[in-house]
Amino acid sequence: MNSSNVDVSKYPYWRNRIMWSMLSGYAVFYFIRKNMSVANPLIREEFGIGKEDMGAALGIAAIAYGISKFLSGILADTFSARYVMSAGLLLSAMVSFMLGFASEGSSAFFGLSITGFFAIFWTVNNIFQGMGQPPCSRLLTQWFSPSEIGKQWGIWNMSHHLGAAGILFFGGYMVVYFETWRVVFFAPAVFAFLFALFLMNRLRDQPEDVGLPPIEEYQQIKEHHEIEQTNELKETPREIFVKYILTNKLIWLVSLVNLFIYIVRIGILDWAPSFLKESRGLSIMESAITTSSFEIAGIVGAIAAGWLSDTVFSGRRGRVSVIFMTLLVVSVLAILYVPSNNPYLMSATLFAVGFFVHGPMLLVAVAAADFATKKAAATAVGLTGLFGYIGAFLANYGTGYISEHWGWDYVIYFYLASALIGTLLLLLTWNSRSPVLDNIHS
């Protein structure tokens, strides 16, 4: 395609449109995913479901989510990121709406216990939820070049923080106002259903779909554009999967790293309130507010890591990740030395942990997309997600077991060891970056 024959002045409009559609769309995915966090204690209270049973149901759903992310990545790469994402949001909204009708009668209609009803329907919801992130990974690599994608990915990454914060805040308000947990399934589901239709209208899979040249040509990466164009004519989806995923050692390496990153991230996110209450003497309110600093820091840390990897380290995501992970080790260790009944110092410490863990979490996905190129970016990021949610399962099971048998200090050692292993593995990616950037600078 000759870029002189097209009007590239429309590129900024379309890139902004795609970015804000992805960002808002993935935030809405969280409206019908984290709504369970709001409803969980009320559901257990109403139906007499034990923590262990509900935890098992949520754990199964988390594994299903990880598998779905991987398979959805393959779908987005070979079919259409636009339709996969939109369909995932629409179908998840329908399941969320059905969950609002949960009762002893509805579960009996399906021949299930009430716990089984929630387990099955929440697992199905998580399968559709897994159709959210991989399409965004595909769209980011189609509309933004490797030299700028770290910054852009950092901006998009705000979506899950904003979505989670939004449903936790407004969901809590709705439960109090309407005096029922069911509203946090009904209201977000209706909104998400309508937003899925809007998303389908706003998204486009690639610049060529609207008469624009590929991103390589727009960014004046002529050499790589020619290579991509030739390869695309020859390689089948199976050949792309084998070459860029199955036999790509760097993809498997960063996926394994993500497992250890998620042990720290999910461990802190899900268990910090319990740790602070039981081990550091904080009230439930103090524990919740203190833990919120961890999530807030994630927005800043991800943007900072993406910007640094693009502008200072010329696309070498591993170098930024090693620096962040080293400081994460120090920050996790510092948790052990924060005095009891000191929410302010603990908030600062958890802010540091959140900042340094969310940076590498972002860059693992960006690096996977770099190493797989835009041909298999969604599949690669989906694979890192699968490993990440294996790590999430290990974090939840490991934290519960260790805290029960050896105490909370050993839980922190568990997170510390995970951060250290992740750091050492990332050293193996120190000089690695996107082959596109290597071609430019060679």
Side-chain angles (χ1 to χ4, degrees), residues 236 314 373 410 438:
T236 65
S314 301
T373 76
Y410 283 90
D438 282 334

Side-chain angles (χ1 to χ4, degrees), residues 387-399:
F387 274 77
Y389 276 86
I390 294 172
F393 176 81
L394 294 174
N396 280 305
Y397 180 80
T399 300

